[in-house]
Amino acid sequence: MASAIYFCDNKGRPLLSRKYRDDIPFSAIDRFPILLSNFEEETNLIPPCIEHNGIQFLFIQHNDLYLVAIATSISCNAALIFSFLHKVIEVLSEYLKAVEEESIRDNFVIIYELLDEMMDYGIPQITEPKMLKQYITQKSFKLKKAAKKKRNAARPPTSLTNSVSWRPEGIKHKKNEAFLDIIESINMLMTQKGQVLRSEIIGEVKVKSKLSGMPDLKLGINDKGLFSKYLEGDENGVPIAPDDSSVDESKPKKKRSNNMELEDLKFHQCVRLSKFENEKQITFIPPDGDFELMSYRLSTAIKPLIWCDVNIKTHSKSRIEIFCRAKAQIKKKSTATNVEILIPVPEDADTPVFKYSHGSIKYVPEKNAILWKIRTFPGDKEYSMAAEMGLPSTNAGEESEKLKRPVQVKFQIPYFTTSGIQVRYLKIEEKNLQYKSYPWVRYITKSGDDYTIRLS
């Protein structure tokens, strides 16, 4: 696997290193900045893996750093190495907050300790930040005395020798609860006429565990056929058809009628993947506290949940008029909350006058935009607003080009998922303590970082 891990600056020069095997020379990293420079000059595109004289340089970039893993075999598991490098950044972020060249130089000792625990002989070991924090208790910039000088020195938790390395034994809670949130973020690009140019769903299943002992959880999901390519079928080997009343059962079920395609699916390390593949059950022993159980991504054509028809009229050398009609294109029983519609205006617009049917409107000069807020937006409802602003006569003829910035929309829809994913059951079992537990499930659909409407 990996023979060594190096932290390098933005030029590829080493700052800190940890060798795990003796199959590479100490001077191996000296070639790395030269290889980086050669690729920048020749192609201006640097690949994530570079081979030179039988040595593989696998690296990622974070802020002003390169995190480099060196391997000697071309058949090494590159996906595992890259996953480990990202995990190193995640763990260091928990300790150092900002992972950059200065923080690396200031915290050599704690980084060496973490690298020693996270990898052994080039093979990843403990990568869960919550477990590492139990016995690597040093704070960044403030290092404690050596453990051998203490009577009650911190010892590695017993769970490190068990198969469940992410959860220590002996956890106790007064009230045993498990909170599960299914959160779907919608990214969408639309035209002014409502045509969808690009759309995707980014889903997260987050868990907050407040359970005593060593509980075993079983999660059943009505996945609407989204995970079909990861599963062989139901308990009898028969593929599951989507929950659609329009399916004609008289016809042979050769293909699924679901048009959603799952492109990315990731599980937390606590999930038993063999159970999921064979029995469609997500079973796991959860870490204590908050963690992300699962994430997925869907690139699919969906209709806009909140749609805005924005018309802007510029009257030469005098004023600008803005008309916006917003509609919640969701079921009547659903309600969107905290809706924000950000409409661009010219940089030098002034003296705004507003008329609106619902919510509140204000001019945001630092963003050169009008912000329309609607606290609650029931499904199938439609609201409108109008604004008039003055324009300086000197620049009025140039403002048409500046208004091509898109309209940005933000919203949340509780108790609703766009993909149709629903939790069938969440079972909690603890064989030793056998306590009464309380599972809670919540659904939220919200706008992503890129939910925009083009104005031209």
Side-chain angles (χ1 to χ4, degrees):
M1 201 52 66
S3 298
I5 299 292
Y6 287 86
F7 287 86
C8 302
D9 62 15
N10 56 4
K11 298 294 184 182
R13 294 169 297 200
L15 303 171
L16 180 151
S17 65
R18 176 65 174 90
K19 283 188 68 176
Y20 297 100
R21 297 186 179 186
D22 296 326
D23 54 354
I24 60 168
F26 283 100
S27 60
I29 194 64
D30 295 340
R31 190 65 188 172
F32 181 65
I34 301 173
L35 295 172
L36 283 180
S37 178
N38 291 341
F39 273 100
E40 286 181 349
E41 292 177 0
E42 295 175 3
T43 64
N44 200 25
L45 184 65
I46 304 175
C49 181
I50 301 176
E51 191 273 338
H52 179 75
N53 290 341
I55 295 178
Q56 315 293 324
F57 297 89
L58 300 92
F59 58 92
I60 61 173
Q61 191 170 10
H62 181 80
N63 293 334
D64 56 352
L65 296 170
Y66 283 102
L67 184 53
V68 186
I70 294 182
T72 56
S73 173
I74 197 171
S75 61
C76 65
N77 191 335
L80 179 60
I81 293 178
F82 282 119
S83 178
F84 177 78
L85 295 179
H86 284 287
K87 200 68 180 179
V88 170
I89 296 296
E90 179 184 335
V91 170
L92 289 180
S93 298
E94 292 285 334
Y95 280 86
L96 312 182
K97 304 306 178 185
V99 183
E100 52 193 27
E101 181 178 344
E102 184 179 355
S103 62
I104 296 297
R105 291 184 182 276
D106 290 340
N107 294 279
F108 276 10
V109 174
I110 191 171
I111 294 173
Y112 274 122
E113 286 197 25
L114 290 169
L115 291 177
D116 284 341
E117 298 298 337
M118 295 181 69
M119 180 170 277
D120 184 24
Y121 197 63
I123 300 173
Q125 300 295 316
I126 306 164
T127 58
E128 185 64 32
K130 292 181 181 179
M131 296 303 303
L132 291 167
K133 281 188 173 183
Q134 290 193 34
Y135 61 99
I136 299 181
T137 57
Q138 293 173 326
K139 303 293 183 181
S140 57
F141 302 105
K142 295 180 181 180
L143 303 181
K144 296 183 178 180
K145 294 181 180 180
K148 64 181 180 180
K149 295 182 180 180
K150 296 182 180 180
R151 286 188 177 181
N152 299 321
R155 297 181 179 179
T158 55
S159 58
L160 294 182
T161 59
N162 299 334
S163 60
V164 186
S165 61
W166 54 87
R167 183 182 180 91
E169 296 179 352
I171 294 176
K172 292 183 180 180
H173 291 279
K174 291 183 178 180
K175 188 176 182 180
N176 293 284
E177 298 176 298
F179 302 86
L180 187 143
D181 289 342
I182 296 182
I183 303 171
E184 291 190 343
S185 301
I186 310 299
N187 290 324
M188 186 175 291
L189 176 62
M190 296 164 278
T191 66
Q192 193 171 7
K193 296 181 179 180
Q195 179 185 1
V196 178
L197 302 178
R198 183 184 70 249
S199 63
E200 69 172 359
I201 303 170
I202 299 175
E204 298 173 301
V205 180
K206 295 187 175 181
V207 177
K208 184 175 184 178
S209 173
K210 292 185 175 181
L211 300 170
S212 304
M214 198 66 68
D216 202 325
L217 276 65
K218 292 182 181 180
L219 173 64
I221 290 182
N222 176 21
D223 58 34
K224 291 283 184 179
L226 300 179
F227 303 149
S228 57
K229 70 178 182 180
Y230 295 90
L231 305 174
E232 296 298 330
D234 63 7
E235 292 83 357
N236 300 317
V238 180
I240 304 172
D243 185 12
D244 190 346
S245 57
S246 63
V247 176
D248 186 358
E249 296 184 355
S250 63
K251 296 181 181 180
K253 299 177 182 179
K254 294 182 179 179
K255 294 183 179 180
R256 299 175 189 271
S257 60
N258 196 348
N259 60 353
M260 290 194 178
E261 182 181 352
L262 184 69
E263 293 191 0
D264 196 6
L265 176 63
K266 296 178 183 177
F267 285 109
H268 190 274
Q269 61 176 326
C270 66
V271 176
R272 302 181 182 96
L273 296 181
S274 58
K275 278 272 189 181
F276 174 72
E277 293 172 354
N278 298 329
E279 303 177 19
K280 305 191 307 301
Q281 284 187 347
I282 300 176
T283 62
F284 57 99
I285 297 174
D288 192 46
D290 298 310
F291 69 100
E292 184 179 281
L293 177 68
M294 182 180 78
S295 64
Y296 55 92
R297 183 166 63 91
L298 295 161
S299 293
T300 180
I302 55 176
K303 70 176 183 180
L305 303 179
I306 303 294
W307 176 69
C308 300
D309 182 13
V310 180
N311 290 306
I312 299 178
K313 295 182 180 180
T314 303
H315 300 271
S316 179
K317 299 182 181 181
S318 59
R319 59 194 173 88
I320 183 172
E321 290 182 313
I322 300 170
F323 304 93
C324 178
R325 182 168 55 92
K327 184 175 182 180
Q329 299 186 140
I330 54 180
K331 295 180 180 179
K332 291 183 178 180
K333 63 181 181 180
S334 298
T335 300
T337 61
N338 301 321
V339 179
E340 295 184 3
I341 302 170
L342 195 68
I343 304 171
V345 298
E347 294 180 0
D348 49 1
D350 56 16
T351 60
V353 179
F354 302 124
K355 293 181 181 180
Y356 50 94
S357 62
H358 201 78
S360 63
I361 300 179
K362 67 176 181 179
Y363 173 44
V364 188
E366 62 270 19
K367 295 184 178 180
N368 299 315
I370 293 172
L371 180 60
W372 183 14
K373 290 185 177 181
I374 305 173
R375 181 172 295 180
T376 58
F377 204 154
D380 207 30
K381 287 285 186 179
E382 185 176 303
Y383 299 127
S384 60
M385 61 78 66
E388 183 176 321
M389 305 183 75
L391 290 177
S393 58
T394 55
N395 297 330
E398 303 174 2
E399 295 301 336
S400 58
E401 293 296 322
K402 296 181 181 180
L403 289 176
K404 290 185 178 181
R405 290 180 293 140
V407 175
Q408 298 177 350
V409 184
K410 295 182 180 180
F411 58 86
Q412 285 189 358
I413 308 174
Y415 316 113
F416 173 79
T417 58
T418 308
S419 65
I421 286 183
Q422 290 186 351
V423 175
R424 288 179 175 174
Y425 56 84
L426 178 58
K427 298 179 181 179
I428 303 171
E429 295 181 2
E430 218 295 342
K431 295 181 179 179
N432 295 328
L433 301 179
Q434 295 184 352
Y435 49 71
K436 186 176 182 181
S437 57
Y438 301 90
W440 307 93
V441 179
R442 181 173 60 173
Y443 305 92
I444 300 174
T445 291
K446 63 178 183 178
S447 56
D449 297 330
D450 186 20
Y451 191 100
T452 55
I453 303 169
R454 287 182 179 175
L455 291 180
S456 59

